[in-house]
Amino acid sequence: MTATKLPDDCITKDDVRAEIDRIDQALLTLFAERHGYVTRMAQIKTDPHEARDPARIEAVIAKVRDRSLALDLDEDQAELVWRTLIDWNINYEKGIIAARRRS
């Protein structure tokens, strides 16, 4: 993903908004790719309880916090985003696994 304009090169609010829109599209594309792997994980797991793995969750959060610091990004904000994403994925996986078990 190459910036059309760097932040300091944005002169107007429209310049900034255009860059944010470009980044949002890239993020959505990455979330869609990630979702494919979450779906596959739900297909592999056999028990809804497998969807929540506290040790794995905390390992992921630790990595996110470390990587955030390295990118000069607020690690608390990044953690909040990832915990929300993880919670959504857990519920999604549980639903797929439970539906498969019912059929």
Side-chain angles (χ1 to χ4, degrees):
M1 171 177 67
T2 304
T4 303
K5 289 186 178 182
L6 297 174
D8 288 344
D9 295 334
C10 292
I11 305 301
T12 67
K13 290 184 280 187
D14 286 340
D15 290 343
V16 174
R17 288 178 179 139
E19 291 306 308
I20 289 172
D21 287 347
R22 179 187 57 76
I23 293 166
D24 286 349
Q25 180 59 48
L27 287 169
L28 284 170
T29 299
L30 289 171
F31 280 134
E33 180 181 355
R34 188 182 195 282
H35 181 72
Y37 289 99
V38 171
T39 299
R40 182 62 184 137
M41 183 64 82
Q43 293 166 345
I44 293 169
K45 292 178 179 177
T46 58
D47 187 308
H49 291 74
E50 287 181 90
R52 180 175 296 280
D53 180 346
R56 171 70 178 148
I57 292 168
E58 294 312 312
V60 169
I61 294 300
K63 277 193 266 186
V64 165
R65 290 184 68 85
D66 287 346
R67 291 171 179 171
S68 297
L69 286 170
L71 294 168
D72 199 28
L73 179 66
D74 183 287
E75 67 273 20
D76 293 333
Q77 184 180 25
E79 178 177 344
L80 177 62
V81 170
W82 253 259
R83 285 197 186 275
T84 300
L85 179 63
I86 289 167
D87 286 344
W88 186 89
N89 288 335
I90 289 167
N91 290 327
Y92 176 76
E93 283 186 17
K94 283 181 177 180
I96 289 177
I97 297 164
R100 187 177 64 241
R101 291 180 78 184
R102 283 191 299 269
S103 58

